[in-house]
């Protein structure tokens, strides 16, 4: 996990010492999941193990559920001191609804830009376990186990066994009769005897199967809504009322099925029929036909013609012929046609597509025509001519020489890899030089404030952060001449991490204190 000490935190720590306090006090940590802030937690304790190591503790016993990927620590004055997160942005800690988040982290500082004061208690205790929250609990005594009123302590198997051996003893069971049976009683005629029950059960049909004898009928409903299941006649079983389902045996011992619903009848008697007299699957009836008895012809008419014979046995392809001059299309009927026509006739410009003429070699060399296009051949010829005459008409000099001479890095006579100064200049922020390979040199002078911090705005912005930055102090702010020998003139210049391609920050310290000084700076990079 990486830790970033912010400039605001450095300033707060230095200012706290400057005002005579033991150091800045950290009292809050904000939890984040990605860029979304989850919640703030008050730090329970801060312990300074050594100047470069700080131990912080926080706790969350709510039912909130979240994952922590970043933590930001703040001082009691609301100043952002440091940010901690994994380099790959992965989860640092997770919290479940029935768990307590115990946050205990050691902040390792790469430098000691001030002092952090200790505060609070860094001891960590898990919360009391409840039915909805994970935590710790105390083991109940045997007396508390036997009493059975404590709902916070936990019982061990040993104490539970001792309690059970006591309560299950016959002598410890309360409310039992002193004699058995406890009172004289009789079973009168309201109860069946065993013999009576056996007789009744013997007349019942077994659940595992059996035979019913005689005619019978099961009836439900009343009036017009009556329904029944009954046997009627030879081998006939009827189910229903007016809408009848019949299973019967005919005189010649054939089996017939008759289903009548609102006078619509399905009869199966050797063969299957619908509507009383229509045989199913006969030559003139195909309820699930895979081929039509008579093939049908599908034809097209109008501006298109074509036909195909279809009997349902296979897929068919219909060939279509569109009659000549049967209809017309306008340009507007064809999507994108007008745009394509316009692009093929208008002159190409910087703002619209169109036609363009290929520039001649003479126009390419002159470089004044802004309507023609250059081919790779004419461009290569132009570059070859320019390169051939460049070094013949100019003297070779080192970078930064007088105007009219080619400024180079390196000796072209011995090293073909040279870089030419393509621009140079100065403004209120300093001087700069830019070479043909993108390398940039910038320099100037500035002064650090009372907090030892100086922010340099570069003369020109670079594409990347500076690759190298240095500063040379010109003078020191000495309190008095009598103290000159007592103070060391050594100093440290730090490059603050939040430098960018357009600005650089320096921090000057001497003997651990901010240094007010004027200095000369130099920055290089791409």
């Amino acid at each position: 996990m990486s830790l970033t000490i912010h400039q605001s935190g450095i300033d707060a720590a230095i200012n706290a010492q400057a005002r005579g306090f033991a150091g800045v006090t950290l009292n809050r940590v904000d939890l984040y999941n990605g860029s979304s802030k989850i919640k703030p937690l008050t730090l329970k304790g801060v312990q300074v193990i050594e100047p470069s190591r700080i131990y912080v503790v926080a706790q969350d016993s709510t039912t909130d559920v979240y994952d922590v990927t970043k933590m930001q620590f703040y001082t009691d004055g609301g100043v952002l001191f440091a940010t901690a997160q994994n380099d790959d942005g992965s989860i640092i800690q997770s919290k479940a609804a029935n768990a307590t988040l115990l946050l205990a982290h050691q902040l390792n500082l790469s430098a000691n830009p001030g002092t952090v004061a200790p505060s609070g208690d860094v001891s960590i205790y898990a919360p009391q376990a409840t039915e909805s929250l994970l935590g710790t609990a105390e083991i109940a005594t045997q007396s508390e186990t036997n009493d059975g009123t404590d709902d916070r302590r936990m019982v061990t198997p040993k104490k539970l066994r001792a309690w059970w051996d006591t309560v299950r003893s016959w002598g410890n069971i309360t409310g039992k009769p002193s004699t058995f049976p406890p009172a004289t009683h009789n079973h009168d005629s309201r109860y069946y005897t065993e013999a009576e029950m056996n007789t009744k059960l013997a007349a019942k049909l077994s659940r595992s199967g059996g035979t019913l004898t005689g005619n019978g009928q099961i009836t439900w409903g009343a009036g017009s809504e009556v329904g029944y299941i009954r046997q009627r006649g030879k081998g006939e079983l009827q189910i229903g009322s007016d809408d009848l389902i019949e299973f019967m045996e005919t005189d010649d011992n054939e089996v017939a099925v008759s289903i009548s619903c609102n006078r619509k009848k399905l009869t199966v008697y050797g063969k299957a029929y619908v509507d009383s007299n229509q045989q199913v699957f006969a030559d003139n009836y195909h309820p699930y036909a895979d081929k039509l008895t008579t093939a049908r012809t599908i034809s097209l008419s109008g501006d298109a013609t074509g036909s195909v014979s279809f009997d349902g046995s296979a897929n068919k392809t219909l060939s279509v012929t569109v009659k000549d001059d049967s209809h017309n299309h306008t340009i507007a009927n064809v999507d994108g046609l007008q745009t394509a026509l316009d692009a093929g006739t208008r002159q190409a410009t910087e703002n619209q597509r169109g036609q363009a003429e290929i520039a001649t070699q003479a126009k390419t060399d002159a470089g004044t025509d802004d309507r023609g296009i250059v081919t790779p051949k004419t461009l290569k010829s132009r570059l070859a001519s320019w390169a051939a005459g460049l070094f013949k008409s100019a003297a070779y000099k080192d970078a930064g020489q007088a105007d009219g001479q080619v400024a180079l890095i390196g000796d072209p006579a011995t090293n073909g890899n040279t870089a030419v100064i393509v621009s140079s200049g100065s403004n209120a922020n300093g001087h700069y030089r830019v070479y043909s390979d993108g390398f940039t040199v910038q320099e100037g002078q500035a002064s650090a404030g009372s907090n030892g911090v100086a922010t340099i705005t570069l003369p020109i912005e670079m594409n990347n952060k500076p690759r190298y930055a240095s500063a040379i102090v010109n003078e020191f702010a000495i309190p008095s001449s009598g103290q000159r020998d007592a103070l060391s003139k050594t100093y440290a210049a730090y490059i603050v991490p939040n430098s960018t391609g357009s600005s650089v920050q320096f921090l000057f310290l001497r003997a651990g204190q901010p240094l007010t000084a004027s200095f000369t700076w130099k920055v290089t990079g791409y």
Side-chain angles (χ1 to χ4, degrees):
M1 184 172 66
S2 62
L3 179 70
T4 301
I5 307 299
H6 296 275
Q7 182 61 43
S8 56
I10 296 174
D11 294 343
I14 293 174
N15 292 337
Q17 286 184 295
R19 295 195 304 269
F21 294 104
V24 69
T25 300
L26 303 181
N27 76 333
R28 187 181 98 230
V29 57
D30 286 357
L31 307 181
Y32 285 82
N33 187 339
S35 60
S36 300
K37 182 177 178 180
I38 303 171
K39 65 189 319 183
L41 296 179
T42 300
L43 292 179
K44 182 180 178 183
V46 178
Q47 178 178 341
V48 180
I49 302 174
E50 58 185 43
S52 63
R53 288 196 300 155
I54 303 172
Y55 188 65
V56 295
V57 172
Q59 181 173 310
D60 183 7
S61 299
T62 66
T63 58
D64 295 342
V65 178
Y66 52 81
D67 295 322
V68 180
T69 62
K70 182 175 70 175
M71 300 180 291
Q72 290 189 337
F73 296 88
Y74 288 82
T75 69
D76 55 357
V79 176
L80 176 59
F81 180 78
T83 298
Q85 59 184 356
N86 290 328
D87 294 337
D88 59 357
S90 58
I91 296 174
I92 301 173
Q93 280 189 252
S94 297
K95 183 184 178 305
N98 62 343
T100 297
L101 178 72
L102 299 178
L103 182 68
H105 282 278
Q106 177 177 292
L107 308 182
N108 297 316
L109 310 181
S110 59
N112 182 25
T115 303
V116 175
S119 63
D121 181 10
V122 295
S123 301
I124 300 177
Y125 303 96
Q128 171 68 40
T130 68
E131 294 177 353
S132 60
L133 181 66
L134 297 176
T136 60
E138 179 182 348
I139 296 177
T141 65
Q142 188 64 60
S143 176
E144 291 168 338
T145 302
N146 297 341
D147 185 51
T149 59
D150 192 309
D151 199 29
R152 296 173 63 86
R153 292 174 174 81
M154 55 187 180
V155 178
T156 63
K158 180 179 179 181
K159 293 184 176 65
L160 180 63
R161 175 62 182 270
W163 170 81
W164 175 242
D165 289 343
T166 300
V167 298
R168 71 176 179 172
S169 173
W170 178 258
N172 291 330
I173 298 177
T174 60
K176 63 182 181 293
S178 58
T179 60
F180 295 91
T184 302
H185 63 285
N186 295 313
H187 294 284
D188 54 26
S189 60
R190 293 174 298 174
Y191 304 93
Y192 287 113
T193 65
E194 180 179 0
E196 291 172 330
M197 288 299 301
N198 290 339
T199 300
K200 291 183 176 296
L201 292 175
K204 305 297 180 182
L205 183 65
S206 172
R207 293 180 60 185
S208 61
T211 302
L212 291 176
T213 59
N215 296 330
Q217 176 174 312
I218 301 174
T219 305
W220 59 90
S224 62
E225 302 296 328
V226 69
Y228 54 81
I229 301 176
R230 69 184 180 186
Q231 179 187 7
R232 189 186 69 175
K234 178 184 177 182
E236 181 178 350
L237 176 64
Q238 292 184 332
I239 303 174
S241 55
D242 291 339
D243 297 333
L244 189 64
I245 303 176
E246 293 182 302
F247 301 90
M248 65 193 74
E249 180 181 352
T250 62
D251 293 336
D252 54 358
N253 296 324
E254 294 287 343
V255 177
V257 177
S258 175
I259 300 177
S260 176
C261 181
N262 293 330
R263 300 184 181 277
K264 299 296 183 180
K265 188 175 183 180
L266 170 63
T267 301
V268 177
Y269 179 67
K271 297 180 181 180
Y273 292 85
V274 295
D275 292 332
S276 299
N277 57 4
Q278 175 61 62
Q279 182 180 345
V280 180
F281 301 118
D283 291 340
N284 60 346
Y285 186 74
H286 303 280
Y288 298 101
D290 54 5
K291 183 177 180 180
L292 299 177
T293 301
T294 302
R296 303 300 177 184
T297 299
I298 301 174
S299 301
L300 300 178
S301 61
D303 291 343
T305 60
S307 64
V308 65
S309 178
F310 179 74
D311 62 4
S313 61
N315 296 330
K316 292 290 186 178
T317 299
L318 175 62
S319 299
V320 179
T321 301
V322 179
K323 296 180 181 179
D324 292 338
D325 299 326
S326 61
H327 59 287
N328 298 314
H329 292 287
T330 64
I331 293 178
N333 295 142
V334 182
D335 295 340
L337 178 58
Q338 187 63 60
T339 301
L341 294 174
D342 293 344
T345 57
R346 66 191 178 198
Q347 173 66 43
T349 67
E350 295 176 351
N351 300 319
Q352 69 178 9
R353 295 176 179 270
Q355 294 179 334
E357 178 184 340
I358 297 177
T360 64
Q361 187 65 57
K363 289 183 177 181
T364 303
D365 295 341
T368 58
D369 189 298
D370 198 30
R371 296 171 64 86
I373 56 176
V374 177
T375 64
K377 180 178 180 181
T378 56
L379 177 61
K380 180 179 179 180
S381 177
R382 174 58 185 148
L383 292 176
S385 299
W386 174 81
L390 175 63
F391 296 109
K392 293 180 180 180
S393 59
Y396 299 127
K397 295 294 182 181
D398 291 333
Q401 296 299 315
D403 294 339
Q405 298 174 332
V406 180
L408 301 173
I409 300 175
D411 182 2
T414 59
N415 180 11
N417 298 323
T418 60
V420 182
I421 294 178
V422 295
S423 66
S424 64
S426 62
N427 52 38
N429 298 326
H431 302 272
Y432 66 91
R433 292 193 305 277
V434 181
Y435 294 85
S436 57
D437 63 349
F439 184 75
T440 304
V441 179
Q442 304 190 64
E443 54 191 2
Q445 294 187 344
S447 298
S450 59
N451 60 355
V453 177
T455 300
I456 306 301
T457 299
L458 299 177
I460 60 174
E461 183 176 0
M462 295 190 293
N463 293 329
N464 304 293
K465 288 185 178 182
R467 177 173 292 185
Y468 172 81
S470 64
I472 301 176
V473 173
N474 300 330
E475 59 183 5
F476 296 94
I478 304 300
S480 65
S481 59
Q483 299 176 347
R484 185 179 302 274
D485 295 335
L487 293 175
S488 171
K489 290 186 178 182
T490 60
Y491 67 94
Y494 296 92
I495 309 301
V496 180
N498 59 357
S499 298
T500 66
S502 60
S503 65
V504 177
Q505 281 192 335
F506 292 91
L507 171 63
F508 293 88
L509 299 176
R510 182 181 61 203
Q513 299 297 321
L515 174 63
T516 301
S518 60
F519 60 94
T520 300
W521 57 269
K522 187 173 184 178
V523 172
T524 61
Y526 288 89

